[in-house]
Amino acid sequence: MALSGGVDSAYLLHRCCRQRATQPELRLRAVHVHHGLLPQADAWLAHCEALCARLSVPLEIIHLDLVPRPGESVEAAAREARYAALRRLIRPGEMLLTAHHQDDQLETVLLQLFRGAGVAGLAAMPEAAPFGRGVHLRPLLGMTRATIELEARQAGLEWVEDPSNSCGRFDRAFLRQQILPPLRGRWPAVASTVSRSAKHLAEAQGLLEELAVQDADGIRDGDRLLVAPLAALSRPRQANLLRWWLRERGLGMPSTARLAAIQDDLLPARGDGGPIVTWKTGELRRYRGRLYALRPLAPVVGGPWELRPGQSRRIEGIGTVSLQPVTGSGFSVGRFPGPFELRLRHGGERLRPVGRAEVHALKKLLQEAAVEPWLRERMPLLWSGGQLLAVGDRWLAAGAAAGPAEPGCALQWARETT
């Protein structure tokens, strides 16, 4: 379980230990994330270490070197980094428990509403959801903060206080101090009723996802979407399917304006010359009547790059390229001992690939093989002594091929994750 040292997580740890006492087969470990943002962070860590030692609970510590980007919310950056670290840590079949409660749910719904979120955002935090290689559970969502604090005091628990909870420059703290007290004064059950609305919206979101799955039949082509049948859907169903598909691809949601650009500019574009629609965490491209959802491709800087047999080299925006010694395949190291260098296309390259009788323009080979345009410009070309030996891991120059039982080298390319 995630242990910050505050009252909510201290109470959840107390409950987990009580359950462990009645079910000894349960294995429990705590994880503390040290964000390094506040001077009290070391004291909170020491408190969590002492608490877990007293309860005989193994504690793992994650240190984050968090530097928010200019203009980025500190809250959002901390949350994103924290969950990314926890996602890497969770083991297959494990359950991650966090101490979110009913008042957290109320705050989440209000913040999403103020940001103009749709149904998925207003459904807020689910009680259970897939998480990394395991499951994320929020067992306290049905409890209020007041009830947790009352029971924590009755149990004699100790906890730390986070001063950022009273700092009005953070959105959640502002809600707690300025907005929620008058709301509770007028509607005492507001946390419960808003949480109920979030559950209704979660059900509605489930129905939208079922519709998206039905619409995807006949439109989804592997990791891509076919443009023509997608464009034939009504506009709301297009948007619903696109959101579902982008979530499936693990990309963040584009804004309403970016989603409209996909529908208004990318879908009706003639041929494949349409625009690229980009947002912070993704981009959509079109090629041969299909939509591709990608993570933003990093620019390629520098080059050419030296590469030696047996060496692997990671190049930003391209991926990891290596020369692996082989026998009876690849290019002949006897006839081409090096040095070797990697270059990108500049135009005019020609090659006679293994299995072909004629020399072809590389541009034509790439078009025939339907290599996506954004990969063509990032495909590593292996050169030695002014001769093109290999094009990525796709083509080998016929005149350079190693003979049977002859020592050779094969170019291997692990593409940048998209």
Side-chain angles (χ1 to χ4, degrees):
M1 63 153 288
L3 179 66
S4 68
V7 60
D8 307 325
S9 63
Y11 174 76
L12 180 57
L13 181 63
H14 168 71
R15 290 273 298 267
C16 288
C17 288
R18 285 173 54 187
Q19 186 168 353
R20 184 183 59 175
T22 62
Q23 297 177 269
E25 71 277 8
L26 291 180
R27 290 185 298 170
L28 174 65
R29 62 181 176 130
V31 181
H32 177 78
V33 180
H34 188 298
H35 296 86
L37 292 173
L38 295 173
Q40 299 89 342
D42 289 337
W44 296 341
L45 171 57
H47 171 80
C48 291
E49 288 176 326
L51 177 60
C52 288
R54 189 164 63 249
L55 296 172
S56 299
V57 174
L59 175 66
E60 297 189 40
I61 302 161
I62 299 174
H63 287 271
L64 297 180
D65 186 14
L66 192 62
V67 181
R69 294 182 289 271
E72 184 179 26
S73 161
V74 175
E75 288 177 289
R79 182 175 58 253
E80 182 178 328
R82 179 169 64 251
Y83 277 112
L86 291 170
R87 192 172 283 108
R88 290 191 296 269
L89 187 66
I90 194 168
R91 300 166 186 161
E94 278 192 326
M95 296 178 291
L96 169 68
L97 275 60
T98 56
H100 297 106
H101 47 67
Q102 204 171 79
D103 294 272
D104 292 324
Q105 187 77 305
L106 169 61
E107 294 162 8
T108 300
V109 172
L110 291 176
L111 288 171
Q112 292 286 6
L113 183 64
F114 299 155
R115 293 165 184 158
V119 175
L122 294 174
M125 298 181 290
E127 293 180 350
F131 185 80
R133 294 174 293 177
V135 179
H136 182 185
L137 302 180
R138 297 180 175 92
L140 304 184
L141 269 188
M143 299 182 66
T144 64
R145 179 182 289 113
T147 301
I148 291 172
E149 290 185 0
L150 175 62
E151 293 191 10
R153 289 193 179 92
Q154 290 174 343
L157 304 184
E158 298 178 354
W159 59 85
V160 297
E161 296 289 349
D162 185 348
S164 67
N165 288 334
S166 58
C167 180
R169 72 186 181 93
F170 294 118
D171 291 341
R172 282 189 181 270
F174 178 78
L175 277 178
R176 291 169 188 168
Q177 295 173 12
Q178 305 293 330
I179 305 298
L180 294 183
L183 284 180
R184 290 194 180 96
R186 179 80 179 197
W187 297 284
V190 64
S192 175
T193 54
V194 169
S195 292
R196 187 165 63 245
S197 293
K199 288 183 178 180
H200 295 327
L201 287 161
E203 291 177 358
Q205 178 61 26
L207 293 175
L208 289 173
E209 291 178 359
E210 288 183 17
L211 177 62
V213 170
Q214 294 174 15
D215 284 341
D217 186 26
I219 296 179
R220 191 171 187 176
D221 177 28
D223 290 335
R224 303 158 296 184
L225 293 183
L226 298 173
V227 170
L230 175 61
L233 294 177
S234 67
R235 190 175 181 87
R237 287 172 75 162
Q238 288 176 7
N240 183 55
L241 178 55
L242 286 166
R243 291 191 187 100
W244 171 83
W245 177 53
L246 293 173
R247 278 193 298 271
E248 289 282 300
R249 297 283 293 139
L251 301 177
M253 285 297 106
S255 66
T256 301
R258 294 284 81 198
L259 189 63
I262 296 170
Q263 295 177 276
D264 295 337
D265 302 330
L266 196 56
L267 291 186
R270 291 187 176 183
D272 296 318
I276 301 168
V277 179
T278 64
W279 62 99
K280 180 180 177 182
T281 58
E283 60 185 40
L284 249 63
R285 296 171 180 256
R286 176 173 169 167
Y287 177 60
R288 295 198 173 185
R290 290 164 174 79
L291 288 186
Y292 292 74
L294 312 169
R295 301 189 188 282
L297 295 173
V300 180
V301 179
W305 302 271
E306 182 184 351
L307 191 65
R308 298 185 301 276
Q311 179 187 14
S312 292
R313 183 164 196 157
R314 186 183 180 281
I315 304 171
E316 185 75 15
I318 293 176
T320 301
V321 187
S322 60
L323 271 183
Q324 295 300 322
V326 291
T327 301
S329 62
F331 63 86
S332 167
V333 294
R335 283 174 284 140
F336 298 94
F340 307 102
E341 67 177 22
L342 297 170
R343 305 179 196 168
L344 298 181
R345 288 179 62 217
H346 290 289
E349 298 89 354
R350 298 178 65 80
L351 181 76
R352 181 170 74 87
V354 170
R356 298 231 185 171
E358 298 179 354
V359 175
H360 299 267
L362 180 55
K363 177 180 179 180
K364 294 294 184 182
L365 289 172
L366 293 167
Q367 290 173 344
E368 287 177 12
V371 176
E372 294 87 350
W374 53 94
L375 287 182
R376 297 175 197 174
E377 60 195 32
R378 296 165 184 271
M379 184 170 283
L381 310 183
L382 183 69
W383 292 79
S384 179
Q387 181 166 341
L388 178 59
L389 302 181
V391 178
D393 51 7
R394 185 175 287 269
W395 293 292
L396 176 68
E406 183 181 4
C409 263
L411 185 68
Q412 297 182 351
W413 177 28
R415 293 154 183 76
E416 193 88 315
T417 301
T418 57

